[in-house]
Amino acid sequence: MANHKSALKRIRRNESVRLRNRYQHKTTRNAIKKLRSETDKKSAEALLPSVVSMIDKLAKRNIIHSNKAANLKSKLTRQVAGL
């Protein structure tokens, strides 16, 4: 058990941050799946900027690695361009 007031606060904060990160990561994964399943080029092109923005936010907050973000964006852009 934590002995300091700051340690107790840190435990509470870590849990809320973990849940927020988990929610954002899951939401982004669902958006990526939705974009990958698109067959219409117009709707995929409309969806791509928002998904790329979500991926960038995850990378900026170190929820995912920056190289993983770059790989995801590259693959999604190529897939949309190939529709």
Side-chain angles (χ1 to χ4, degrees):
M1 187 62 198
N3 292 324
H4 297 281
K5 196 172 190 177
S6 61
L8 292 170
K9 288 180 186 177
R10 178 55 73 176
I11 289 168
R12 287 197 307 267
R13 185 176 178 284
N14 283 347
E15 182 62 17
S16 62
V17 168
R18 184 186 72 84
L19 291 174
R20 186 184 319 126
N21 287 345
R22 199 168 141 210
Y23 170 78
Q24 289 171 344
H25 197 183
K26 187 66 174 175
T27 305
T28 304
R29 283 196 306 243
N30 287 338
I32 290 169
K33 286 177 192 170
K34 184 179 178 188
L35 179 60
R36 283 186 177 143
S37 67
E38 281 291 338
T39 55
D40 182 38
K41 188 174 176 98
K42 286 277 189 198
S43 60
E45 284 175 341
L47 193 59
L48 183 64
S50 64
V51 174
V52 167
S53 174
M54 293 168 90
I55 292 170
D56 284 336
K57 285 177 187 170
L58 290 182
K60 181 177 82 174
R61 295 179 182 137
N62 289 323
I63 298 171
I64 62 173
H65 197 274
S66 57
N67 287 356
K68 180 180 175 68
N71 288 336
L72 283 171
K73 291 191 296 184
S74 173
K75 287 176 183 176
L76 290 172
T77 305
R78 276 191 291 155
Q79 193 226 343
V80 169
L83 287 177

